[in-house]
Amino acid sequence: MADNKQRAVVLKDKGNAFLKAENYSDAIECYSQGIKLDESNHILYSNRSAAYCNVGKYVDALKDAEKVVSLKPDWPKGYSRQGTALQYLKRYEEAKLVYDEGLKLDPGNKQMMDGVKESESKLTGPAGSSEFDNPFKDPQLIEKLENHPKTSEWMKEPDYRSLIEALKANPTDTGKLGDPRILETLGALLGFEVSENGDDSGLSNGTASSQTKKTASKASQVKKDGPTKPTEGTAESSPKPKAPAAENAQALEEKEKGNAAYRAKEFDQALDHYGKAIELDPTNVAFYTNKAAVYFEKHEYDECVKVCEKAIEVGRENRADYKVIAKAFARMGNAYNKQKNYQEALKYFNKSLSEYRDPDINKKVTEIKKIVKEQERVAYLDPEKAEEAKQKGNDFFKQGNYPESMKHYDEAIKRNPNDHKLYSNRAACLTKLLDFRRALEDSEKCIQLDPTFVKGYLRKGTSLQGMGQYIKAISAFEEAKKLDPNVSEEAFAGISKCRELHRSQPRDQKVSEQGLNDPEIQEILSDPGMQFILQQMQQNPMSVRDHLKNPDISAKFQKLVDAGFVDIRHK
């Protein structure tokens, strides 16, 4: 059982490395394997929840987060994971409650405080874009429609009344929106005309300028995400009325002129036309985002950001669709990205994704994260501090405190990843901790950085010996001997021990596990000269003595002996 828990921790560390490298599928696989070995390890579920969020598997992320809370109810991060997953699922009210619980355990947790604010912004007042006051939920719906000048006559029609009764019973049934009378009913209930405007084309592709499209989209979103209740004590604001039909038509005309100027790269004219469109209809978010696009093309990124901020403000006030708000945030992210202000770019791209999961924006976030990570890595480099950390690691190593020694060697490598000696030291430490696989990786990295560094081969030999790969260990020790005869005693000791351990294995096991999988052994066996010597040896075992006088043949013969293909013991 203890072994399983230790193996689970190793898998966790491996998964963490994949997670940092943004290799989420491999990270999930490692965490899943670890959970099979230790189902009580809450950190494995927590880390897998984070990985699931990064690949868009929010339901799985939520399940893991809930498991974390059940296993470790006094651990704040579990609530943070759960709140994050709920936010991605657009279950903002539940997310806020979860964050509140987490803050009871860790009142100063910034991530959860930000989560509360973000959830509240989705639920309350004109700043939130996820809540939609569905007019068909109004208890006085029938009375209002009977008294409204446009709908009063329709209420006398049995099929229309039947539709209204069905929507009153099930306000999220957006299938009824196909009837044009229902769309106009929405306009009547929310206080605007639905037939005044056409689609908004041009630069702000996909943004509906007509209130009808925004209303239908919001109703559809309620169907998709489920209705949420506003926070108690806050009032839902009604959308601002649109500009009169004549002014609205002029605004759209100015926008089209702006689009034409933009395509012709006449940017000053485009700005003038979009400005006039905004004066005529200040509630149309597309006019602002198109204007921001012009500033972006002119490389006036600060102005682009300012206009996008205004677009978001107008969009919030008028309950614009998620995609509209997302587009403005994305444009801000692009502006900061052009200025190489990657932290701000990430901030606004993530805000965009919180509104709408655009795959292109998600890809940009991944790319910028890599840039930021590399910048942070380079900024962290400091050979002097690396040397200080190495000395601390050496001190703890001498005291036999290997876990503490590891921390300092890790720090030293982060500070100076090109120092081969650091990997050698950490390999020695890992060997003491019986983590031979990672010790082998560090040994090989040491050799890669400096192929003449003898200790790298000695560390490699010791690691391979610990892994039971005795033939390869012997080869590593022999390389050390070639480079420096002064280490011959340590190398000879390693070779002798590996041969002793290898001989103690059953011959069939030696041949199958090491010999047949070793390319060098295969090459020796396929050598016609060696085949002749082996055949001759079968007929006259003593004949091998003459051949062994040749150093090259002697070395090959010894490898076959070590691999178990030749048994020279007396019978």
Side-chain angles (χ1 to χ4, degrees), residues 203-276:
L203 298 179
S204 189
N205 186 24
T207 302
S209 64
S210 71
Q211 198 67 38
T212 304
K213 281 205 165 188
K214 285 192 278 187
T215 303
S217 174
K218 285 296 181 183
S220 176
Q221 193 64 39
V222 172
K223 170 73 174 175
K224 179 179 178 183
D225 296 333
T228 52
K229 296 179 181 179
T231 302
E232 187 175 346
T234 62
E236 287 293 296
S237 63
S238 299
K240 288 185 177 181
K242 294 290 287 183
E247 288 187 14
N248 191 273
Q250 292 176 33
L252 291 173
E253 184 178 345
E254 289 293 340
K255 185 211 73 169
E256 291 303 329
K257 290 179 180 178
N259 289 354
Y262 177 89
R263 288 190 288 268
K265 298 189 181 299
E266 296 172 349
F267 296 130
D268 290 336
Q269 291 184 33
L271 287 173
D272 183 56
H273 289 302
Y274 291 139
K276 289 178 180 177

Coordinates of all heavy atoms in Angstrom, one line a residue, residues 203-276:
L203 N -17.1 45.1 -40.6 CA -16.0 44.7 -39.8 C -16.4 43.9 -38.6 O -15.7 43.0 -38.2 CB -15.3 46.0 -39.3 CG -14.7 46.9 -40.4 CD1 -14.1 48.1 -39.8 CD2 -13.7 46.1 -41.2
S204 N -17.5 44.2 -38.0 CA -17.9 43.5 -36.8 C -18.8 42.3 -37.2 O -20.0 42.3 -36.9 CB -18.6 44.5 -35.8 OG -18.8 43.8 -34.6
N205 N -18.2 41.4 -37.8 CA -18.9 40.2 -38.4 C -19.6 39.5 -37.3 O -19.0 39.1 -36.3 CB -17.9 39.3 -39.1 CG -18.6 38.2 -39.8 OD1 -19.8 38.4 -40.1 ND2 -17.9 37.1 -40.1
G206 N -20.9 39.2 -37.4 CA -21.6 38.3 -36.5 C -22.2 39.1 -35.4 O -22.8 38.6 -34.5
T207 N -22.1 40.5 -35.3 CA -22.7 41.2 -34.3 C -24.1 41.8 -34.7 O -24.2 42.5 -35.7 CB -21.8 42.4 -33.9 OG1 -20.6 42.0 -33.6 CG2 -22.4 43.3 -32.8
A208 N -25.1 41.4 -34.0 CA -26.5 41.8 -34.4 C -26.7 43.3 -33.9 O -26.6 43.6 -32.8 CB -27.5 40.9 -33.8
S209 N -27.1 44.1 -34.8 CA -27.4 45.5 -34.4 C -28.9 45.7 -34.0 O -29.2 46.6 -33.3 CB -27.1 46.5 -35.6 OG -28.0 46.2 -36.7
S210 N -29.8 44.8 -34.5 CA -31.2 45.0 -34.2 C -31.5 44.4 -32.8 O -30.9 43.4 -32.4 CB -32.1 44.2 -35.2 OG -31.9 42.8 -35.1
Q211 N -32.4 45.0 -32.1 CA -32.7 44.6 -30.7 C -33.4 43.2 -30.8 O -33.3 42.4 -29.9 CB -33.6 45.6 -30.1 CG -33.7 45.4 -28.5 CD -32.4 45.7 -27.9 OE1 -31.7 46.7 -28.3 NE2 -32.0 45.0 -26.9
T212 N -34.0 42.9 -31.9 CA -34.7 41.6 -32.1 C -33.6 40.5 -32.0 O -33.8 39.5 -31.3 CB -35.4 41.5 -33.5 OG1 -36.3 42.6 -33.6 CG2 -36.1 40.2 -33.6
K213 N -32.5 40.7 -32.7 CA -31.5 39.6 -32.7 C -30.9 39.4 -31.3 O -30.6 38.3 -30.9 CB -30.4 39.9 -33.7 CG -30.8 39.6 -35.1 CD -29.6 39.3 -36.0 CE -29.9 38.6 -37.3 NZ -28.8 38.2 -38.0
K214 N -30.7 40.6 -30.6 CA -30.1 40.4 -29.3 C -31.1 39.7 -28.4 O -30.7 38.9 -27.5 CB -29.8 41.8 -28.7 CG -28.5 42.4 -29.4 CD -28.1 43.7 -28.6 CE -28.8 44.9 -29.0 NZ -28.3 46.1 -28.5
T215 N -32.4 40.0 -28.5 CA -33.3 39.4 -27.6 C -33.5 37.9 -27.9 O -33.5 37.1 -27.0 CB -34.7 40.1 -27.8 OG1 -34.6 41.5 -27.6 CG2 -35.8 39.5 -26.9
A216 N -33.6 37.6 -29.2 CA -33.7 36.2 -29.6 C -32.4 35.4 -29.1 O -32.6 34.3 -28.6 CB -33.8 36.0 -31.1
S217 N -31.3 36.0 -29.2 CA -30.0 35.4 -28.8 C -30.0 35.1 -27.3 O -29.6 34.1 -26.8 CB -28.8 36.2 -29.2 OG -27.7 35.7 -28.7
K218 N -30.5 36.1 -26.6 CA -30.6 36.0 -25.1 C -31.5 34.9 -24.7 O -31.3 34.1 -23.8 CB -30.9 37.3 -24.5 CG -29.8 38.3 -24.5 CD -28.7 37.9 -23.7 CE -27.5 38.9 -23.7 NZ -26.4 38.4 -22.9
A219 N -32.7 34.9 -25.3 CA -33.7 33.9 -25.0 C -33.1 32.5 -25.3 O -33.3 31.6 -24.5 CB -34.9 34.1 -25.8
S220 N -32.4 32.4 -26.4 CA -31.7 31.1 -26.7 C -30.7 30.7 -25.7 O -30.6 29.6 -25.3 CB -31.1 31.2 -28.1 OG -30.4 30.0 -28.4
Q221 N -30.0 31.8 -25.2 CA -29.0 31.5 -24.2 C -29.6 31.0 -22.9 O -29.0 30.1 -22.2 CB -28.1 32.7 -23.9 CG -26.9 32.5 -23.2 CD -25.9 31.6 -24.0 OE1 -25.8 31.7 -25.2 NE2 -25.3 30.7 -23.3
V222 N -30.7 31.5 -22.5 CA -31.4 31.0 -21.3 C -31.8 29.6 -21.5 O -31.7 28.8 -20.6 CB -32.7 31.9 -21.1 CG1 -33.5 31.3 -20.0 CG2 -32.3 33.3 -20.7
K223 N -32.2 29.2 -22.7 CA -32.6 27.8 -23.0 C -31.3 27.0 -22.8 O -31.4 25.9 -22.3 CB -33.1 27.7 -24.4 CG -33.2 26.3 -25.0 CD -34.4 25.6 -24.3 CE -34.6 24.3 -25.0 NZ -35.7 23.5 -24.4
K224 N -30.2 27.5 -23.3 CA -29.0 26.7 -23.2 C -28.4 26.5 -21.8 O -28.0 25.5 -21.4 CB -27.9 27.3 -24.1 CG -26.6 26.6 -24.2 CD -25.7 27.4 -25.1 CE -24.3 26.7 -25.1 NZ -23.4 27.4 -26.0
D225 N -28.3 27.7 -21.1 CA -27.6 27.6 -19.8 C -28.6 27.5 -18.6 O -28.1 27.2 -17.5 CB -26.8 28.9 -19.6 CG -25.8 29.1 -20.7 OD1 -25.3 28.0 -21.2 OD2 -25.4 30.2 -21.0
G226 N -29.8 27.7 -18.9 CA -30.8 27.6 -17.7 C -30.8 29.0 -17.1 O -29.9 29.8 -17.0
P227 N -32.0 29.4 -16.6 CA -32.2 30.7 -16.0 C -31.5 30.8 -14.6 O -31.3 29.8 -13.9 CB -33.7 30.8 -15.8 CG -34.2 29.4 -15.7 CD -33.3 28.6 -16.6
T228 N -31.0 31.9 -14.3 CA -30.4 32.2 -13.0 C -31.1 33.3 -12.3 O -31.6 34.2 -13.0 CB -28.9 32.5 -13.1 OG1 -28.8 33.6 -14.0 CG2 -28.1 31.3 -13.6
K229 N -31.2 33.3 -11.0 CA -31.8 34.4 -10.3 C -30.9 35.5 -10.0 O -29.7 35.3 -9.6 CB -32.4 33.8 -9.0 CG -33.5 32.8 -9.2 CD -33.9 32.3 -7.8 CE -35.0 31.2 -8.0 NZ -35.4 30.7 -6.7
P230 N -31.4 36.7 -10.1 CA -30.5 37.9 -9.8 C -30.2 37.9 -8.3 O -31.0 37.4 -7.5 CB -31.3 39.1 -10.2 CG -32.7 38.7 -10.2 CD -32.7 37.2 -10.6
T231 N -29.1 38.4 -7.9 CA -28.8 38.5 -6.5 C -29.8 39.3 -5.8 O -30.3 40.4 -6.3 CB -27.4 39.1 -6.3 OG1 -26.4 38.3 -7.0 CG2 -27.0 39.2 -4.8
E232 N -30.2 38.9 -4.6 CA -31.3 39.6 -3.9 C -30.9 41.0 -3.6 O -29.8 41.4 -3.2 CB -31.5 38.9 -2.5 CG -32.7 39.4 -1.8 CD -32.9 38.6 -0.5 OE1 -32.3 37.5 -0.4 OE2 -33.7 39.0 0.3
G233 N -31.9 41.9 -3.8 CA -31.7 43.3 -3.6 C -31.2 44.1 -4.8 O -31.0 45.3 -4.7
T234 N -31.0 43.5 -5.9 CA -30.6 44.2 -7.1 C -31.7 44.2 -8.1 O -32.5 43.2 -8.2 CB -29.3 43.5 -7.7 OG1 -29.7 42.2 -8.1 CG2 -28.2 43.5 -6.7
A235 N -31.8 45.3 -8.9 CA -32.9 45.4 -9.9 C -32.3 45.1 -11.2 O -31.2 45.5 -11.6 CB -33.5 46.8 -9.8
E236 N -33.1 44.4 -12.0 CA -32.8 44.2 -13.4 C -33.1 45.4 -14.3 O -34.2 45.9 -14.2 CB -33.5 43.0 -14.0 CG -33.1 41.7 -13.4 CD -31.7 41.4 -13.9 OE1 -31.5 41.2 -15.1 OE2 -30.8 41.3 -13.1
S237 N -32.2 45.9 -15.0 CA -32.4 47.1 -15.9 C -32.9 46.7 -17.2 O -32.6 45.7 -17.7 CB -31.1 47.9 -16.0 OG -30.2 47.1 -16.7
S238 N -33.8 47.5 -17.8 CA -34.3 47.3 -19.1 C -33.4 47.8 -20.2 O -32.7 48.8 -19.9 CB -35.7 48.0 -19.3 OG -36.6 47.4 -18.3
P239 N -33.3 47.2 -21.3 CA -32.4 47.8 -22.4 C -32.8 49.2 -22.8 O -34.0 49.5 -22.7 CB -32.7 46.8 -23.6 CG -33.3 45.6 -22.9 CD -34.0 46.0 -21.8
K240 N -31.8 50.0 -23.1 CA -32.1 51.3 -23.6 C -32.8 51.3 -24.9 O -32.6 50.4 -25.7 CB -30.8 52.1 -23.7 CG -30.1 52.4 -22.4 CD -28.9 53.3 -22.7 CE -28.3 53.7 -21.4 NZ -27.1 54.6 -21.6
P241 N -33.8 52.2 -25.1 CA -34.5 52.2 -26.4 C -33.6 52.6 -27.5 O -32.6 53.3 -27.4 CB -35.5 53.3 -26.2 CG -35.0 54.2 -25.1 CD -34.2 53.3 -24.2
K242 N -33.8 52.0 -28.7 CA -33.0 52.3 -29.9 C -33.3 53.7 -30.4 O -34.3 54.3 -30.0 CB -33.3 51.2 -30.9 CG -32.9 49.8 -30.6 CD -31.5 49.6 -30.6 CE -30.9 49.6 -32.0 NZ -29.4 49.4 -32.0
A243 N -32.4 54.1 -31.3 CA -32.6 55.4 -31.9 C -33.9 55.3 -32.8 O -34.2 54.2 -33.3 CB -31.4 55.8 -32.7
P244 N -34.5 56.4 -33.1 CA -35.6 56.4 -34.0 C -35.2 55.8 -35.3 O -34.1 55.8 -35.7 CB -36.0 57.9 -34.1 CG -35.5 58.5 -32.8 CD -34.3 57.8 -32.5
A245 N -36.2 55.3 -36.0 CA -36.0 54.6 -37.3 C -35.1 55.4 -38.3 O -34.2 54.9 -38.9 CB -37.3 54.2 -37.9
A246 N -35.5 56.7 -38.4 CA -34.8 57.5 -39.4 C -33.3 57.7 -39.0 O -32.4 57.5 -39.9 CB -35.4 58.9 -39.5
E247 N -33.0 58.0 -37.7 CA -31.7 58.2 -37.3 C -30.9 56.8 -37.4 O -29.7 56.8 -37.7 CB -31.6 58.7 -35.9 CG -32.0 60.2 -35.8 CD -31.9 60.7 -34.4 OE1 -31.2 60.0 -33.6 OE2 -32.4 61.8 -34.1
N248 N -31.6 55.7 -37.1 CA -31.0 54.4 -37.1 C -30.5 54.1 -38.5 O -29.5 53.5 -38.7 CB -31.9 53.4 -36.6 CG -31.2 52.0 -36.3 OD1 -31.1 51.2 -37.2 ND2 -30.8 51.8 -35.1
A249 N -31.4 54.4 -39.5 CA -31.1 54.1 -40.9 C -29.8 54.9 -41.3 O -29.0 54.5 -42.0 CB -32.3 54.4 -41.8
Q250 N -29.8 56.2 -40.8 CA -28.6 57.0 -41.2 C -27.4 56.5 -40.5 O -26.3 56.5 -41.1 CB -28.9 58.5 -40.7 CG -30.0 59.2 -41.4 CD -30.2 60.6 -40.8 OE1 -29.3 61.2 -40.3 NE2 -31.5 61.0 -40.8
A251 N -27.5 56.0 -39.3 CA -26.4 55.4 -38.6 C -25.8 54.2 -39.3 O -24.6 54.0 -39.5 CB -26.8 55.0 -37.2
L252 N -26.7 53.3 -39.8 CA -26.3 52.2 -40.6 C -25.6 52.6 -41.9 O -24.6 51.9 -42.3 CB -27.5 51.2 -40.8 CG -28.0 50.5 -39.6 CD1 -29.3 49.8 -40.0 CD2 -27.0 49.6 -39.0
E253 N -26.1 53.6 -42.5 CA -25.5 54.1 -43.7 C -24.1 54.7 -43.5 O -23.2 54.4 -44.3 CB -26.4 55.3 -44.3 CG -25.9 55.8 -45.6 CD -26.8 56.9 -46.2 OE1 -28.0 57.0 -45.7 OE2 -26.4 57.6 -47.1
E254 N -23.9 55.3 -42.3 CA -22.6 55.8 -42.0 C -21.7 54.7 -41.7 O -20.5 54.7 -42.1 CB -22.7 56.7 -40.8 CG -23.3 58.1 -41.0 CD -22.5 59.0 -41.9 OE1 -21.3 58.7 -42.1 OE2 -23.1 59.9 -42.5
K255 N -22.2 53.6 -41.1 CA -21.3 52.5 -40.8 C -20.9 51.8 -42.1 O -19.7 51.4 -42.2 CB -22.1 51.4 -40.0 CG -21.3 50.2 -39.6 CD -22.1 49.0 -39.4 CE -22.4 48.5 -40.8 NZ -23.0 47.1 -40.8
E256 N -21.8 51.7 -43.1 CA -21.4 51.1 -44.4 C -20.3 51.9 -45.1 O -19.4 51.4 -45.7 CB -22.6 50.9 -45.3 CG -23.6 49.9 -44.8 CD -23.0 48.5 -44.6 OE1 -22.0 48.2 -45.4 OE2 -23.3 47.7 -43.7
K257 N -20.5 53.3 -45.0 CA -19.4 54.1 -45.5 C -18.1 53.9 -44.8 O -17.0 53.9 -45.5 CB -19.9 55.6 -45.4 CG -21.0 56.0 -46.3 CD -21.4 57.4 -46.2 CE -22.6 57.8 -47.1 NZ -23.0 59.2 -46.8
G258 N -18.2 53.8 -43.5 CA -17.0 53.5 -42.7 C -16.3 52.2 -43.2 O -15.1 52.1 -43.3
N259 N -17.2 51.2 -43.4 CA -16.6 49.9 -43.8 C -15.9 50.0 -45.2 O -14.8 49.4 -45.4 CB -17.7 48.8 -43.9 CG -18.3 48.4 -42.6 OD1 -17.8 48.8 -41.5 ND2 -19.3 47.6 -42.6
A260 N -16.5 50.7 -46.1 CA -15.9 50.9 -47.4 C -14.6 51.6 -47.3 O -13.6 51.3 -47.9 CB -16.9 51.7 -48.3
A261 N -14.5 52.7 -46.4 CA -13.3 53.4 -46.3 C -12.2 52.5 -45.6 O -11.0 52.6 -46.0 CB -13.6 54.7 -45.4
Y262 N -12.7 51.7 -44.7 CA -11.7 50.8 -44.0 C -11.1 49.8 -45.0 O -9.9 49.6 -45.0 CB -12.5 50.0 -42.9 CG -11.6 49.0 -42.2 CD1 -10.9 49.3 -41.1 CD2 -11.6 47.7 -42.7 CE1 -10.1 48.4 -40.4 CE2 -10.8 46.7 -42.0 CZ -10.1 47.1 -40.9 OH -9.3 46.1 -40.3
R263 N -11.9 49.3 -45.9 CA -11.4 48.3 -46.9 C -10.5 49.0 -47.8 O -9.5 48.4 -48.4 CB -12.6 47.7 -47.6 CG -13.3 46.6 -46.7 CD -14.3 45.8 -47.6 NE -15.5 46.6 -48.0 CZ -16.6 46.7 -47.3 NH1 -16.7 46.0 -46.2 NH2 -17.6 47.4 -47.7
A264 N -10.7 50.3 -48.1 CA -9.8 51.1 -49.0 C -8.6 51.6 -48.2 O -7.8 52.4 -48.8 CB -10.6 52.2 -49.6
K265 N -8.5 51.3 -46.9 CA -7.4 51.8 -46.1 C -7.4 53.3 -45.9 O -6.3 53.9 -45.7 CB -6.0 51.2 -46.6 CG -5.9 49.7 -46.6 CD -4.5 49.3 -46.9 CE -4.4 47.7 -46.9 NZ -4.8 47.1 -45.6
E266 N -8.6 53.9 -46.1 CA -8.7 55.3 -45.8 C -9.2 55.5 -44.4 O -10.4 55.7 -44.1 CB -9.7 55.9 -46.8 CG -9.2 55.8 -48.3 CD -10.3 56.2 -49.3 OE1 -11.5 56.4 -48.9 OE2 -10.0 56.4 -50.5
F267 N -8.3 55.3 -43.5 CA -8.6 55.1 -42.1 C -9.2 56.4 -41.4 O -10.1 56.3 -40.6 CB -7.4 54.6 -41.3 CG -6.9 53.3 -41.7 CD1 -5.6 53.0 -42.0 CD2 -7.8 52.2 -41.9 CE1 -5.2 51.8 -42.5 CE2 -7.4 51.0 -42.3 CZ -6.1 50.8 -42.6
D268 N -8.7 57.5 -41.8 CA -9.3 58.8 -41.2 C -10.7 58.9 -41.6 O -11.6 59.4 -40.7 CB -8.4 60.0 -41.6 CG -7.1 60.0 -40.9 OD1 -6.9 59.3 -39.8 OD2 -6.1 60.6 -41.5
Q269 N -11.0 58.6 -42.8 CA -12.4 58.7 -43.3 C -13.3 57.7 -42.5 O -14.4 58.0 -42.2 CB -12.5 58.6 -44.8 CG -11.9 59.7 -45.6 CD -12.1 59.5 -47.1 OE1 -13.1 58.9 -47.5 NE2 -11.1 59.9 -47.9
A270 N -12.8 56.5 -42.4 CA -13.5 55.5 -41.7 C -13.8 55.9 -40.3 O -15.0 55.7 -39.8 CB -12.7 54.2 -41.7
L271 N -12.9 56.5 -39.6 CA -13.1 57.0 -38.2 C -14.2 58.0 -38.2 O -15.0 58.0 -37.3 CB -11.8 57.5 -37.6 CG -10.7 56.5 -37.2 CD1 -9.4 57.3 -36.8 CD2 -11.2 55.6 -36.1
D272 N -14.2 58.9 -39.2 CA -15.2 60.0 -39.2 C -16.6 59.4 -39.4 O -17.5 59.8 -38.7 CB -14.9 60.9 -40.4 CG -15.8 62.1 -40.5 OD1 -16.0 62.8 -39.5 OD2 -16.5 62.2 -41.5
H273 N -16.7 58.4 -40.3 CA -18.0 57.8 -40.5 C -18.5 57.0 -39.3 O -19.7 57.1 -38.9 CB -18.0 56.8 -41.7 CG -17.9 57.6 -43.0 ND1 -18.8 58.5 -43.4 CD2 -16.9 57.5 -44.0 CE1 -18.4 59.0 -44.6 NE2 -17.3 58.4 -45.0
Y274 N -17.6 56.2 -38.7 CA -18.0 55.4 -37.5 C -18.4 56.4 -36.3 O -19.3 56.1 -35.6 CB -16.9 54.5 -37.0 CG -16.7 53.4 -38.0 CD1 -15.4 52.9 -38.3 CD2 -17.7 52.7 -38.6 CE1 -15.1 51.9 -39.1 CE2 -17.5 51.6 -39.5 CZ -16.2 51.2 -39.7 OH -16.0 50.2 -40.6
G275 N -17.7 57.5 -36.2 CA -18.0 58.5 -35.2 C -19.4 59.1 -35.4 O -20.2 59.2 -34.4
K276 N -19.8 59.3 -36.7 CA -21.1 59.8 -37.0 C -22.2 58.8 -36.7 O -23.3 59.1 -36.2 CB -21.2 60.3 -38.4 CG -20.4 61.6 -38.7 CD -20.5 61.9 -40.2 CE -19.7 63.2 -40.5 NZ -19.7 63.5 -41.9

